[in-house]
Amino acid sequence: MSTFTKVLLATDLSPQADKLTECLFSLCPDTETEVVLAHVFDDDDDADPDGSSYKRTQSRLEGYKNDIEQAGYEEISIVTRTGDISETVQGLAEEYDADLVLVASHRKGFLKRALMGSTTFDLARVTNIPLLINKAEVHEEQENLLQTILVPTDFSRKSLEALNIIRSLREFVGKVIFVHVIEHSRNKHDYKEKYGSAMLFLQELVDEMKIFGIEADYHIAHGVASKKIAAICERDNVSLIMMAKTGADMTNGEELGSTSENVVLNVDCAVMLVPAEENDD
């Protein structure tokens, strides 16, 4: 049984967003999952039910619905709203009690737009439920997101929230790679101690995954965490990063930790941001 029982698929109807249905099928293999297809108009004229833009949008959304129905899902609804896109998507997630939001990122030029306040990046900052940011381009074949999952960890409980999702999807997961980055060390002796401790902890995580029948491995790196994570993703052909939304040093659950922020900005594969449970210290 999947962790996700109700999913908000938020689409801007771009070619990149067309790939979100494949993401839905990967992450929510249980066809009893309820799906809410959402589109937010940022122009009142486009939201006029008698206008051609609105009718085209409804037709596209019905096309998405038909594709999902063909895959065996039965509970599918369509909703449109007008307003600020990131705030409205977050509001819809709360209104419909969704436990996962799917969005597409337009990867080309993403850094520039993100720093200027892109919709995807704003949503990543404010959402309080798991958020999947898919980055597959139009010309790329959509990967099975569960083929190779990378889980960065600083060994805090919140950095391992993704394990609950992975365990629930264990029948469909190909491989899990745990990554720990030692960013700072006082000297060689300090580095060796940190490396040894990390190796023991990571091996425990790998062994736990194998108990669940999941192939697993780990990497330990030294340097800037986001850069090392990006390099490992490219080298190991990672299909999805699952990581905590906030860093271990963050106190505000509505902020992105610096590592999460830089990973979202700089990696080419899909990223799922997983908020920590409220009772996580």
Side-chain angles (χ1 to χ4, degrees), residues 126-221:
V126 303
T127 189
N128 53 13
I129 65 172
L131 171 70
L132 185 282
I133 303 170
N134 193 45
K135 296 190 176 187
E137 291 289 356
V138 176
H139 63 277
E140 297 174 340
E141 183 177 349
Q142 179 64 58
E143 294 182 274
N144 176 0
L145 293 182
L146 301 179
Q147 183 60 42
T148 306
I149 302 173
L150 184 146
V151 180
T153 179
D154 60 4
F155 306 135
S156 64
R157 285 172 52 197
K158 66 178 62 179
S159 72
L160 294 171
E161 291 286 344
L163 293 185
N164 293 325
I165 299 172
I166 291 171
R167 292 186 194 104
S168 73
L169 293 167
R170 57 186 176 272
E171 298 174 47
F172 308 96
V173 173
K175 181 178 182 180
V176 176
I177 300 173
F178 295 99
V179 174
H180 176 71
V181 181
I182 302 171
E183 293 197 278
H184 307 288
S185 55
R186 296 188 300 274
N187 49 49
K188 289 184 178 179
H189 178 71
D190 181 48
Y191 176 77
K192 285 184 66 175
E193 284 194 341
K194 288 181 176 178
Y195 189 98
S197 296
M199 187 169 60
L200 291 173
F201 196 96
L202 289 166
Q203 188 59 55
E204 289 182 8
L205 292 173
V206 167
D207 291 343
E208 179 188 345
M209 290 296 98
K210 291 180 178 178
I211 290 172
F212 282 94
I214 301 171
E215 182 184 353
D217 199 357
Y218 69 81
H219 295 299
I220 302 173

Side-chain angles (χ1 to χ4, degrees), residues 67-81:
D67 289 344
I68 296 170
E69 285 177 337
Q70 289 295 317
Y73 298 78
E74 296 181 356
E75 293 191 61
I76 309 163
S77 56
I78 293 174
V79 59
T80 57
R81 292 283 193 278

